[in-house]
Amino acid sequence: MYFMVTDRFCDGDSANNIPIGSDPTLFDPKQKDNALYQGGDLRGVEKALQANYFNDLGVTALWLTPVVKNVWRSGYDLGGWKSGYHGYWTQDWLDIDPHLTSKTSLAGEPYPDNAEGRMKHYQDLVKLAHSKGIKVIQDVVLNHAGSVFYYDDNNDGVFNVEKKEEWVQPYKNDGFHPNAKWADIPKWNAERTQPDGPRELLGAKIATKGTLSQIESYGRKGFSSDSLGKTDGEEITCDFFSLRDIWTDPKGEYFDALVDEFVEIYQFYLTTVGVDGLRIDTVKHVHHEFWDAFTERLRKRLGSAAADKLLFGEIYDGNPATLGRYTWRSDWPKSTAPDLDSVLDFNFCFSAREYLRQTGTQFGSPAALEKSLASRTASDAQDRPFYNPNLGADGLNAQQKIITFIENHDGLNRFRVAGITESRNRLAQGLLMTLPGIPCLYYGTEFSLLDAGGKIGEDGETGRMMFFPHKGGPIMKEVEKSQTFSDISKLAALRKKLPVLRTGKWIPLWVDSASGDQDDGVFAFARASEDGESFVVVVVNASDAERTTSDGDNQIQLPASMKTAGKVLRRTLTIGQEKSLTPADIDAAAPLRLAVPPSSLVIYESFPSEK
Ligand SMILES: [Ca+2]
Ligand SMILES: [Ca+2]
Ligand SMILES: [Ca+2]
């Protein structure tokens, strides 16, 4: 999977950078100001698709930041004044943001200048991706809308945008703030949420009832600075900074209507537009019962098509028990059916960073990473596996479909910040592409794009920079020739060729030098088929010295579950230094002393020995 902040990928059409009637100061033509629109759009993605950029990299799915029409400016979010370039501030769930769409199709056919035309453009992008064998994941927010209403703190009937109190009110324990009023600032598209009734788009009738356009569908409880970090329920019912919380309480008067409204909206995107899955934002800030009802009714509505649609969520938490909870329905053990198909594995991200993301040539212990992978199949105190092992409609379970990543925009910097070398970034991508899960790349990492403003230990949003700027940046052809792009494409090709790299069992082999308490930076593991007949061994050396997976007599012996008799291991791919340090064929049944060059990852593939 390849994830991009669409506004920051490629500006394929400069005509949409300042939509008609919008505040022109929200666009930065220099493409530098992180708080403003920088021009990236659907046409930029289409041009990359057309040039086979993603195919060359080996990507089989794209995840784009939310494409729906947003509130374009907010006065109070993390860090103050900002634009809605990222797409997470919905104003209309059934319109595509005009910053993203073009007046004509890639072939030059005019689109109608309205919601129908914008939706048609989005559908055309999805069709183009499909024609290239690439799926499209739609990023969706059901927890909140943008700043579509304000709290009239001074009760003058006017949205006093300079007053913080009109954007954010303190959290109210009992009831709702009574002074919420729809905003009406057209140049920021800060207006009553839509749809307010049924819509007809792309020939489909969408029977929305306008529930999202009623102020009673929102919580209006305000936000306090500690709201989001709480676990007492306040994190579920508060606003998300100045973003307006949707009232997802199962006891709420509009619960069923809200669930049905979202089912109606997303069945349209999943069937008529044809997207292949949903990445669901801010999952832990929504009542769990809401996800039960939404996933159940949506799958029912989709019928047999549901088997091909992936629903995965963002739960910003490093605890596998917290992450995996959302792959179960909230009424476990009564029901063991899957809830969300899968989640983004923050635990993996944090532990991979602990191992490989240290200043200079330093490295951390891979032990946390090994523990993280073991946690995939572990259980909680009530004996429930963290991740639901029951098969979804596609015949795969949550453990197999977990989305692994080492970087994205979720309040994280890029993996490669100042002090992190390009070769370390390539090593991290190598790990991502060889460990279990669905690996998700962050746009720009295929060029080891440097997040110069990011610091280790100080996560933020500095990594959301323009990848293909108008001036002074890389161009796609140049990126395709880079070492990182080449490495990732080779890894992707090997994953495609070897099923064990996608669905094989993970078997830990080596994390530490047994001689001392100092880790030597080596991490080794195997991926093996169920029957043990085919397997690969992967060895990572994060240090800047040559290492082996042995310490005196202590060497790796592959477990009996792997059928090693009559097999040899042969080096099949190296990320890092190509220098071969081991003999061409290694007896897989013998104790393994695998040498690995400095700052490198080596993949050994099993073959029958030629007698
Ligand atoms: Ca543009
Ligand atoms: Ca006011
Ligand atoms: Ca909420």
Side-chain angles (χ1 to χ4, degrees), residues 63 104 119 127 135 194 197 220 265 270 295 323 325 358 361 414 419 422 449 514 517 546 554-555 571 585 596:
W63 154 22
T104 61
M119 194 61 75
K127 282 183 180 169
K135 294 179 188 296
Q194 298 290 327
R220 296 160 284 148
I265 289 167
L270 287 161
T295 55
L323 291 169
R325 188 180 302 153
Q358 307 279 339
T361 56
R414 284 181 180 273
E422 186 177 331
L449 199 61
D517 48 12
E546 181 186 316
N554 189 8
Q555 294 180 32
R571 197 167 68 118
D585 286 349
V596 52

Side-chain angles (χ1 to χ4, degrees), residues 333-351:
K334 215 169 77 189
S335 167
T336 58
D339 206 340
L340 296 179
D341 291 312
S342 164
V343 298
L344 283 154
D345 191 353
F346 279 87
N347 183 274
F348 176 89
C349 171
F350 298 148
S351 52

